[in-house]
Amino acid sequence: DVKVTQSSRYLVKRTGEKVFLECVQDMDHENMFWYRQDPGLGLRLIYFSYDVKMKEKGDIPEGYSVSREKKERFSLILESASTNQTSMYLCATRGGNQPQHFGDGTRLSIL
Amino acid sequence: QKEVEQNSGPLSVPEGAIASLNCTYSDRGSQSFFWYRQYSGKSPELIMFIYSNGDKEDGRFTAQLNKASQYVSLLIRDSQPSDSATYLCAAHNNDMRFGAGTRLTVKP
């Protein structure tokens, strides 16, 4: 079974803070993804990575950055958190053309 | 135009009935299609995938694909209250595109 672990289920931060969301997978998959999910808007892709040290912008990269120093770990960084970044954040991994598997998600609140 | 479209619902069916969930996609190059189930407050979990035209059955679930019509559906037979969730359709070409989801409620 694919295991995708996100570091926190719930997180509360303040406006202007730098926030790190961590994601680790144990399947040696090349592809990793960060999404946010908001009511009525569905899943929106923030960033993805096809290999170590490689990153590509998704549909809504503004205000975010990512880091992939090791194959198993993909980090999402909110450079200066704002209230409109309050959301559910989902990490996913995929090997080749196989289905994506999601972590449990991090519900992030920015006060 | 959204790349993957689903009726947002809510779709309500009585227990034991067949629930029919529909999805259309715009990218004709899409090769594989997925259905995920998402319970409230939880992350999406894969329940079915289909690559070829026609039907694919797995227990109470049947996925149907018609590439000519760019249409994917999911049928849930003998619906149970535990099937109440949001169902996400996804289409994969070079990347994965998700629909916004259809909320299904199965009433006892």
Side-chain angles (χ1 to χ4, degrees):
Chain A
D1 263 2
V2 177
K3 188 160 179 65
V4 183
T5 303
Q6 292 186 230
S7 53
S8 304
R9 290 298 307 276
Y10 302 94
L11 205 54
V12 180
K13 295 291 183 180
R14 296 206 173 271
T15 302
E17 280 193 72
K18 191 168 185 176
V19 181
F20 294 85
L21 302 182
E22 305 286 344
C23 176
V24 178
Q25 53 108 351
D26 67 353
M27 287 301 293
D28 201 36
H29 286 169
E30 297 85 6
N31 308 307
M32 297 188 75
F33 307 84
W34 275 108
Y35 294 89
R36 64 178 283 178
Q37 188 176 33
D38 302 287
L41 297 178
L43 283 166
R44 292 184 291 169
L45 182 64
I46 305 171
Y47 267 97
F48 60 99
S49 170
Y50 288 146
D51 205 347
V52 175
K53 297 193 184 293
M54 179 274 181
K55 59 186 179 184
E56 292 286 344
K57 293 180 180 179
D59 299 321
I60 52 162
E62 296 78 18
Y64 303 93
S65 63
V66 290
S67 172
R68 192 154 181 212
E69 295 297 317
K70 293 184 179 181
K71 192 173 186 179
E72 67 270 19
R73 186 180 297 270
F74 191 36
S75 303
L76 179 69
I77 304 155
L78 284 65
E79 298 290 345
S80 177
S82 63
T83 55
N84 63 11
Q85 292 178 309
T86 290
S87 186
M88 168 74 101
Y89 289 87
L90 290 159
C91 175
T93 181
R94 187 176 78 232
N97 290 324
Q98 297 303 306
Q100 283 185 188
H101 294 273
F102 289 87
D104 287 338
T106 296
R107 189 167 292 281
L108 175 65
S109 295
I110 307 296
L111 305 179
Chain B
Q1 182 187 2
K2 290 183 180 177
E3 297 180 27
V4 178
E5 297 226 35
Q6 297 181 253
N7 187 326
S8 61
L11 173 66
S12 181
V13 300
E15 184 174 357
I18 296 175
S20 178
L21 304 162
N22 304 315
C23 171
T24 58
Y25 61 94
S26 61
D27 181 359
R28 283 198 170 275
S30 298
Q31 295 297 316
S32 48
F33 305 87
F34 307 91
W35 283 99
Y36 289 82
R37 176 177 62 202
Q38 187 174 24
Y39 292 115
S40 181
K42 303 292 186 181
S43 63
E45 56 177 326
L46 180 72
I47 52 172
M48 289 283 292
F49 59 89
I50 186 167
Y51 301 139
S52 304
N53 276 330
D55 295 0
K56 179 182 178 182
E57 188 174 316
D58 184 1
R60 295 187 295 113
F61 299 95
T62 299
Q64 299 174 317
L65 173 60
N66 183 326
K67 288 186 178 180
S69 301
Q70 295 176 247
Y71 177 85
V72 193
S73 67
L74 179 70
L75 300 178
I76 306 175
R77 288 182 300 281
D78 188 24
S79 296
Q80 302 297 310
S82 59
D83 294 326
S84 298
T86 296
Y87 289 80
L88 304 176
C89 171
H92 179 253
N93 187 356
N94 292 317
D95 57 7
M96 186 87 85
R97 292 292 170 179
F98 288 86
T102 298
R103 189 155 57 92
L104 171 67
T105 300
V106 180
K107 295 188 174 179

